[in-house]
Amino acid sequence: MDETGPVPKANSVLPGYLPRLGASLLVDPSQRPLARPSDHVSLTWPHYDRSALTGGIVHLGVGGFHRAHLANYVDDLCATDASTWSITGSGVMAHDEKITGVLAEQDGLYLLAEREGSGSTAQVKGRIIGALHRFVPGHLDSLPLLRELAGPSTKIVSLTITEGGYPVEHGAFVGTDTLAEDARSQHPKTTFGLIVAALDLRRRAGLPPFTVLSCDNLTGNGHVAKVAVLGVSGFRSAELAEWVARNGAFPNAMVDRITPATTDADRAWASETFGFIDKWPVVCEPFRQWALEDEFICGRPAFENVGVLMTSDVLPYEHMKLRLLNGSHSGLAYLSALAGIEFVHEAVLDSRIERFIRELMKSETAPNLVAPAGIDLVEYQNSLVHRFSNPAIADTIARLCLDGTAKFPTFIVPSLEDQLAKNGPIRMLALVLAGWCLYLRGIADDGSPMKLSGDPFLTEATAIALASKSDPSIFLRYERALGPNVGHSARLAATFAEALDSLKSYGALATLDAWCEM
């Protein structure tokens, strides 16, 4: 077992056993038993001096993915590169306040558990992450966060605010009266209102802007973040917008790690396995990947030293990941929900769904991609099926069904538009659309009502799905999610209507079986 720091007594709480760790606190490994010793379980502790960390990064939206990805990479640097970069966490949503409070209570420390396999032989690599060293409130009172963002020590402001958190649709800024009012306020309450207010304070103080680093699943996420910041800046002043456009930096990034939401079962498992209580552990797959455009203003951590691909062209990596991984996730999500399947690994272990996902990728998604240097797209597709099949992380279908209106424009529609433009096959993509449409109508294959996953535009989307009962093409003209182009295709309209009829008549699994035989 790999144990490089003190393990507490069973059922102790994080703040009680982990002050700001330094190398002086290391003890004899024989004094650090796990709660349940096993050749399949390891646990690593920070062995660097957390009191020497100096910050530099403020992250907005401290959820599970951030703590499994960016925070993990920064922790690697702290452990191996004598880096003093660290992260201050915050956010403006109610759930941000809750998780920020928990992590502040735990001095920013939490368990990151990489799990793979099943049963007693499942491999578990546990690690206590120390790179999140400060927390600033942002939900109830945003002024402390505004001061933190505007201060000279902040070099990078990173974001995981979900695909729907950006006021941008189809590449264009979407302003609202509420956002305009927030942008001009002395006490802004929205993510981009705060970013813009902080940039304005820095401009007036003669400081350079910080780098805005989006870690959300969006094509050209840096460009999308720039459109959002410039749009909100324009509400505040034309001078500010011009200054940001001239001096700002918004690197594009491809981020990848499957990280389900933390459950009470995860908390209980962590306590039983490792012998301590963590109120918000993170469970994820072992795989991680990050391709990052090297465009930073005030410096950056040496990410390349811990496996991040620093590049001048992120787009091939983005397209590959968003269309194959995320597109396949959306592809299986709604059809699996109709079939009453709860977990992703259960879905992929059904041969009908696995075959559908493979056919979707092989015939209708991958042909439109340019493989990034050194990556075999066939091997990548096989690796995705393997990753989806991992039972140890218990990823849920309900999580994949979240925020469909924000996901379809990035994960599904670009492949569909490419296939329509070259008269390529679209049957699998049409099934994905039909599955989402029926899901939004709220009735499973067995006739039972379904609890729909959250979406900022769920009421609007369900209304359109219900209206399309009389005319299926109504759904295809839902431009917020599907854009302005696909609704004009007669070929898609006919295939979509056929898919709807089959799903309604035979159910999701039988339809997948039949359609993959054609």
Side-chain angles (χ1 to χ4, degrees):
M1 288 180 286
D2 177 20
E3 299 177 300
T4 56
V7 171
K9 295 179 180 179
N11 296 323
S12 59
V13 184
L14 277 167
Y17 68 81
L18 279 177
R20 295 186 181 279
L21 282 177
S24 62
L25 294 179
L26 297 180
V27 297
D28 187 332
S30 66
Q31 304 301 310
R32 305 191 303 276
L34 296 174
R36 297 172 60 195
S38 167
D39 291 338
H40 305 292
V41 179
S42 66
L43 182 62
T44 303
W45 302 82
H47 57 80
Y48 52 87
D49 184 1
R50 294 183 78 223
S51 66
L53 300 180
T54 58
I57 303 171
V58 176
H59 185 82
L60 305 180
V62 185
F65 180 77
H66 164 69
R67 293 188 291 137
H69 200 261
L70 173 57
N72 189 188
Y73 281 109
V74 175
D75 194 72
D76 282 347
L77 284 169
C78 293
T80 63
D81 199 45
S83 171
T84 61
W85 284 85
S86 60
I87 301 168
T88 296
S90 191
V92 301
M93 306 296 288
H95 62 265
D96 292 318
E97 197 74 14
K98 182 177 181 180
I99 194 170
T100 296
V102 167
L103 291 172
E105 178 187 343
Q106 297 183 177
D107 197 24
L109 298 159
Y110 62 92
L111 171 69
L112 177 64
E114 300 174 2
R115 300 197 309 201
E116 187 171 32
S118 61
S120 60
T121 61
Q123 298 295 315
V124 179
K125 182 179 179 182
R127 175 172 176 175
I128 302 297
I129 301 294
L132 269 166
H133 83 298
R134 291 184 62 237
F135 291 86
V136 176
H139 170 54
L140 299 177
D141 179 7
S142 65
L143 289 183
L145 176 55
L146 178 58
R147 287 192 291 268
E148 185 74 22
L149 294 170
S153 63
T154 297
K155 313 296 184 184
I156 299 169
V157 174
S158 53
L159 308 172
T160 45
I161 56 175
T162 77
E163 298 86 355
Y166 296 77
V168 178
E169 290 183 10
H170 308 298
F173 175 67
V174 181
T176 64
D177 292 341
T178 300
L179 192 55
E181 181 180 353
D182 191 66
R184 302 184 187 109
S185 171
Q186 297 302 309
H187 305 280
K189 296 180 180 180
T190 67
T191 296
F192 287 102
L194 278 160
I195 287 174
V196 164
L199 288 170
D200 200 15
L201 290 172
R202 293 171 74 100
R203 177 179 70 95
R204 294 173 185 275
L207 295 172
F210 42 69
T211 298
V212 178
L213 174 58
S214 172
C215 298
D216 284 300
N217 282 318
L218 295 160
T219 300
N221 52 11
H223 176 70
V224 173
K226 182 176 183 179
V227 170
V229 171
L230 289 179
V232 178
S233 295
F235 284 144
R236 194 170 181 94
S237 77
E239 293 79 10
L240 174 62
E242 192 275 332
W243 179 79
V244 173
R246 186 175 65 251
N247 299 292
F250 303 84
N252 291 304
M254 182 278 284
V255 295
D256 188 4
R257 186 168 225 179
I258 297 174
T259 310
T262 301
T263 65
D264 287 339
D266 294 327
R267 295 178 178 90
W269 168 84
S271 177
E272 181 183 6
T273 301
F274 296 107
F276 56 79
I277 296 171
D278 182 347
K279 294 182 180 179
W280 221 305
V282 179
V283 174
C284 65
E285 64 172 339
F287 179 90
R288 67 176 187 178
Q289 190 175 36
W290 195 7
L292 179 58
E293 191 174 32
D294 200 354
E295 181 189 341
F296 291 78
I297 299 170
C298 304
R300 62 167 176 82
F303 288 127
E304 65 274 15
N305 291 349
V306 288
V308 180
L309 175 65
M310 305 303 298
T311 179
S312 60
D313 186 11
V314 170
L315 197 60
Y317 298 91
E318 284 184 339
H319 282 174
M320 177 187 73
K321 189 262 180 175
L322 296 176
R323 298 192 190 187
L324 289 174
L325 188 154
N326 297 106
S328 297
H329 264 167
S330 292
L332 69 86
Y334 303 102
L335 292 163
S336 298
L338 290 170
I341 298 173
E342 182 179 1
F343 292 103
V344 176
H345 68 274
E346 293 175 339
V348 180
L349 289 174
D350 187 301
S351 61
R352 294 163 291 188
I353 295 178
E354 179 189 346
R355 186 167 59 161
F356 163 66
I357 290 302
R358 289 187 181 277
E359 185 64 25
L360 172 67
M361 292 191 290
K362 175 185 175 182
S363 300
E364 301 184 20
T365 305
N368 304 303
L369 301 175
V370 176
I375 293 181
D376 183 317
L377 286 181
V378 173
E379 183 178 318
Y380 183 77
Q381 292 168 61
N382 290 332
S383 75
L384 291 181
V385 174
H386 173 75
R387 290 168 63 192
F388 294 170
S389 303
N390 182 2
I393 59 173
D395 200 7
T396 65
I397 294 298
R399 183 185 77 87
L400 302 191
C401 290
L402 286 165
D403 299 335
T405 56
K407 291 176 177 177
F408 269 77
T410 300
F411 302 162
I412 298 297
V413 172
S415 296
L416 183 56
E417 290 179 335
D418 286 345
Q419 290 296 94
L420 289 171
K422 65 183 185 183
N423 201 33
I426 57 169
R427 290 181 66 80
M428 303 301 113
L429 289 164
L431 265 179
V432 175
L433 296 184
W436 186 37
C437 181
L438 284 188
Y439 169 86
L440 289 169
R441 294 179 188 174
I443 303 297
D445 288 346
D446 64 4
S448 62
M450 294 189 297
K451 181 180 179 181
L452 303 187
S453 296
D455 187 317
F457 298 100
L458 185 60
T459 300
E460 175 185 273
T462 54
I464 290 173
L466 291 170
S468 69
K469 286 183 175 182
S470 59
D471 179 3
S473 65
I474 290 174
F475 191 77
L476 298 179
R477 294 195 294 271
Y478 182 27
E479 292 195 7
R480 184 188 302 282
L482 304 183
N485 300 320
V486 301
H488 299 293
S489 169
R491 183 163 72 102
L492 175 61
T495 310
F496 175 72
E498 182 186 355
L500 279 176
D501 286 341
S502 182
L503 289 172
K504 288 186 291 185
S505 299
Y506 306 109
L509 297 180
T511 295
L512 292 179
D513 200 23
W515 278 47
C516 288
E517 289 288 349
M518 295 179 180

